[in-house]
Amino acid sequence: MTASPAPDPADLVLPPAFTGLRVPATDEAFARARALAEAEAGEAAGTLVIVEREDVLDLAVILAPGEPLASARRAFLLGMVALVDAVGTYGPPEMPITLIWPGTLMFDGARLGGGRLAWPEDCAEAAVPDWLVFSATLLVSKAQWGDPGLTPGSTALDEEGFGPDIRLPLAESFARNLMKAFAAWEEDGFSGIAARYLAHLPAAVGARAGIDGNGDALLERGGATERLALVPGLTEPDWHDPATRTVRL
């Protein structure tokens, strides 16, 4: 498998556990990372794929889980926390960042992007998967799609006060936050990560909320418990437009 390397490796600064892989705009990070994970299994862990596409930030990271698939999928929620933290680092501080279960990221009430998760198709729920792939996509600009006012349900970084050339700094910040989140999970358990995720989930407001061992959200109100299943929204999320390979406008 070949990929287009960065012209200058120094322009992408990642934590030691990560290896950056820049690929052409014709690629999709989610698909490229899955193919690489399937071909190289554990040897590809830590690879961060970034697509050279200026209108979106399209990235994916290959993970090496250490627990059964049923519980390892909680890494998706951790990835979303890292993504929220990265966006919050560079965005205007007064703007709310919220999540629609499980992986749509909203910025000031409009759809900015989201996340996906892949795993080996033949992996049993009780088996430890050889790999997981977390992928995230954010709209950088909607200029090529016409008047942004015609698509008010979505937004882009350039509309929301983010600085120019934000793609790589956001990718670097995501990687750093992802490492910190995994360290917190390992040291203190998943409850802290769950609380950070749920703090951005409006559906949890007014409920006694938690994350089950399989990654489902449990929302208790008035003695009744609502379960939000994690798996259905991971591989074909509502925020993604397959035709444009980006965020649904």
Side-chain angles (χ1 to χ4, degrees):
M1 180 176 295
T2 60
S4 299
D8 179 5
D11 67 358
L12 188 62
V13 181
L14 298 173
F18 291 86
T19 300
L21 181 64
R22 310 271 287 275
V23 300
T26 52
D27 279 3
E28 187 177 28
F30 190 56
R32 174 60 75 96
R34 281 187 301 174
L36 183 60
E38 290 169 350
E40 300 187 14
E43 296 181 5
T47 301
L48 182 70
V49 179
I50 302 176
V51 175
E52 297 289 11
R53 183 173 170 179
E54 295 302 320
D55 61 327
V56 297
L57 171 61
D58 184 13
L59 62 80
V61 60
I62 301 173
L63 307 173
E67 55 186 83
L69 177 60
S71 59
R73 288 196 190 96
R74 291 179 296 172
F76 174 79
L77 303 178
L78 182 146
M80 292 304 300
V81 167
L83 186 63
V84 167
D85 288 347
V87 172
T89 297
Y90 288 96
E94 70 277 10
M95 295 298 185
I97 304 172
T98 56
L99 298 168
I100 296 177
W101 180 265
T104 300
L105 190 150
M106 308 289 287
F107 191 90
D108 196 23
R111 189 170 45 256
L112 179 62
R116 288 184 280 177
L117 190 76
W119 56 89
E121 293 183 359
D122 59 352
C123 183
E125 291 291 301
V128 177
D130 291 333
W131 52 267
L132 294 174
V133 166
F134 175 84
S135 177
T137 306
L138 300 176
L139 282 169
V140 174
S141 176
K142 298 197 294 181
Q144 68 168 317
W145 307 109
D147 183 356
L150 300 177
T151 52
S154 62
T155 189
L157 298 173
D158 65 354
E159 298 175 31
E160 298 292 349
F162 288 76
D165 303 319
I166 192 63
R167 289 172 54 257
L168 296 187
L170 269 177
E172 293 168 352
S173 180
F174 165 77
R176 292 191 297 269
N177 284 298
L178 190 67
M179 278 206 65
K180 293 177 184 177
F182 271 117
W185 185 357
E186 183 176 352
E187 294 172 8
D188 304 321
F190 195 76
S191 60
I193 299 297
R196 290 171 61 190
Y197 177 94
L198 291 167
H200 293 278
L201 188 71
V205 174
R208 182 179 179 183
I211 301 295
D212 204 356
N214 68 350
D216 293 352
L218 301 176
L219 309 179
E220 183 181 339
R221 291 184 178 89
T225 299
E226 178 185 8
R227 178 179 291 270
L228 304 179
L230 175 63
V231 174
L234 295 185
T235 57
E236 295 296 335
D238 291 339
W239 62 263
H240 183 252
D241 184 350
T244 61
R245 297 184 296 116
T246 184
V247 181
R248 182 166 53 86
L249 300 178

